[in-house]
Amino acid sequence: MNIDAHVVTSEEVYRIAGVRGFGNGVFAREQITGGQTSYKVLHRMAGGQFIMSRLKAFEGAIALVPDEFDGYFASPEFPTFSLREGVGESRYVKHLFGWPAFWDMLKGESKGIGARRERVSTERLLALQVPLPHVNEQRRIANKLDATMGSIARVVQLKKESDALVRQHADSLFGSIAEQRPLSSALNESSDFVAVSPEKTYRTAGILNRGRGLFHRPVISGNETKYPRYNQLKSQQFVYSKLFGWEGSLAVVPADFHGIHVSHEFPTFDIAEDVADVSYMTHLARWDGLHQRLKDQGSGMGSRRQRVNVSRLLTTEVPLPSLPEQRRIAERLTLARGVAEAGARQVADLETLRNGLLDANFSGRL
């Protein structure tokens, strides 16, 4: 451990950094003055050191400090470490700290109760038994991993860029439409409420924000829920979350979610097929522009209370051209999204490959 502790003074400005979980490295936070923090001491980072979040190390929040973060500060919850010369190769240790099995080791070393209190002490970290061959072998392994991980990182970056292009394409298509009509012209409220029985089990769902669609929740028994009734979804309905509609929690129900249950906080609507195309509405629900419009439709105070009620949703103006034009736009967006989703599957496969390579390396099979 190598801590460079600085006493905080109220007039000094500090560049602050944090550590992301799951091996995603160091990131910059907003700079602060000493008068803006209650900490009496801050830890100064140096490029080439390693830094750990005591609170989230067991989730992979431990990383190499890049040279561009030399001189940044973090709270005392972030101890820093220097490698012993001739014993450790920084690139090798960086990959070791990015190994999910290493995070599992740390899970057994954490203290405290609850997900927000599971601190990993520096003593416990340093006491872990890890694969640490001769430094020359570490360099050989690091060279191989650097080459492979660099290729994976480039593919992931290309995936991010392709996602941005899909969003820009959607913005261009929806933004070029002159015909603006309220959602009430395309949606008819249609809920199918069923009384909850304590003896029955229910398949339930939620909606991801930013237009990422529905997801399955665990099956729940009637005696485990506080809700007296559930809304039962139907394929090709429009559904949204009152609580998080302004964050883009909107979707058109796909066939595999037909019959799934949601709470009364998720109103559902039939799509008027003589006005709106189902595929077009699916893409509209994903559109950032609609999410931005709904941000002004929330009621309540605070980010956890910004409900979008039904009447306000239905009065929101959206681009709604003729049905043939909707189908033309939907076809183009479906093609673009298909390419993006294929890229997402590739990235998931590469993540599996990445973890397999790390397993092979640190078990001596690389």
Side-chain angles (χ1 to χ4, degrees):
M1 186 165 62
N2 185 3
I3 302 294
D4 184 7
H6 282 242
V7 176
V8 174
T9 58
S10 59
E11 67 277 4
E12 190 170 354
V13 176
Y14 299 91
R15 294 177 299 167
I16 304 297
V19 186
R20 293 189 177 93
F22 307 103
N24 287 312
V26 177
F27 69 99
R29 298 182 183 273
E30 291 186 11
Q31 67 179 22
I32 62 171
T33 64
Q36 293 175 298
T37 178
S38 60
Y39 288 111
K40 304 301 182 184
V41 171
L42 292 175
H43 291 173
R44 185 184 185 277
M45 303 178 192
Q49 285 187 320
F50 288 89
I51 186 167
M52 175 184 79
S53 165
R54 294 177 62 237
L55 187 61
K56 287 298 181 182
F58 70 98
E59 288 187 350
I62 181 168
L64 175 70
V65 177
D67 290 339
E68 60 266 30
F69 281 87
D70 188 278
Y72 275 71
F73 291 85
S75 82
E77 289 286 354
F78 293 82
T80 51
F81 308 83
S82 296
L83 288 180
R84 292 179 181 173
E85 188 174 352
V87 177
E89 159 62 47
S90 63
R91 294 175 300 129
Y92 176 90
V93 177
K94 175 185 175 182
H95 290 301
L96 176 68
F97 287 167
W99 183 31
F102 178 78
W103 310 337
D104 289 338
M105 295 180 198
L106 291 175
K107 285 179 183 178
E109 306 298 339
S110 59
K111 289 185 175 181
I113 301 173
R116 303 300 301 175
R117 297 181 57 199
E118 300 221 3
R119 286 173 169 79
V120 175
S121 70
T122 56
E123 295 79 12
R124 288 296 189 88
L125 170 73
L126 295 175
L128 284 179
Q129 298 289 317
V130 297
L132 198 68
H134 188 274
V135 68
N136 291 335
E137 177 64 5
Q138 291 181 44
R139 293 189 183 109
R140 183 190 73 82
I141 293 170
N143 288 338
K144 288 182 175 291
L145 288 174
D146 283 349
T148 303
M149 299 307 177
S151 298
I152 291 174
R154 284 191 291 275
V155 173
V156 171
Q157 181 58 37
L158 288 172
K159 170 62 174 60
K160 291 179 180 178
E161 292 173 4
S162 71
D163 286 346
L165 289 173
V166 170
R167 290 193 296 272
Q168 291 170 14
H169 188 43
D171 282 339
S172 175
L173 290 173
F174 287 126
S176 66
I177 298 169
E179 300 94 326
Q180 302 287 314
R181 288 190 274 176
L183 275 169
S184 59
S185 64
L187 302 178
N188 299 309
E189 192 170 4
S190 177
S191 297
D192 182 15
F193 287 112
V194 294
V196 172
S197 170
E199 294 81 22
K200 292 184 178 180
T201 58
Y202 298 88
R203 295 179 299 154
T204 60
I207 311 178
L208 296 168
N209 61 4
R210 301 196 303 276
R212 293 177 295 158
L214 289 156
F215 68 95
H216 290 282
R217 293 186 183 277
V219 174
I220 189 171
S221 67
N223 59 13
E224 293 177 305
T225 179
K226 63 181 181 181
Y227 295 116
R229 60 179 185 167
Y230 275 133
N231 187 11
Q232 192 167 26
L233 299 176
K234 295 179 182 177
S235 178
Q236 298 191 348
Q237 283 185 321
F238 187 97
V239 60
Y240 83 105
S241 164
K242 287 183 180 179
L243 188 59
F244 294 112
W246 60 280
E247 285 190 349
S249 292
L250 323 162
V252 171
V253 180
D256 56 327
F257 279 83
H258 183 84
I260 302 294
H261 298 87
V262 292
S263 81
H264 66 280
E265 292 282 2
F266 296 80
T268 49
F269 308 81
D270 291 334
I271 296 172
E273 295 184 2
D274 58 334
V275 176
D277 177 74
V278 170
S279 181
Y280 178 88
M281 295 299 291
T282 300
H283 292 293
L284 187 67
R286 295 168 174 161
W287 181 42
D288 291 340
L290 175 56
H291 309 160
Q292 290 297 321
R293 296 180 189 192
L294 288 174
K295 281 187 177 178
D296 297 327
Q297 306 296 330
S299 61
M301 298 175 61
S303 62
R304 304 298 296 179
R305 297 179 58 197
Q306 297 258 349
R307 282 178 167 78
V308 177
N309 62 40
V310 170
S311 62
R312 298 295 293 276
L313 173 84
L314 293 177
T315 57
T316 301
E317 297 271 330
V318 297
L320 207 62
S322 66
L323 280 171
E325 180 64 5
Q326 289 181 44
R327 294 182 183 118
R328 184 189 70 82
I329 290 171
E331 184 177 358
R332 293 178 62 179
L333 289 175
T334 297
L335 179 61
R337 183 159 292 276
V339 172
E341 289 174 352
R345 290 191 293 272
Q346 183 182 30
V347 167
D349 290 342
L350 287 173
E351 181 64 15
T352 300
L353 172 63
R354 172 189 175 279
N355 293 338
L357 286 171
L358 291 172
D359 286 337
N361 163 54
F362 298 120
S363 62
R365 292 183 282 115
L366 185 63

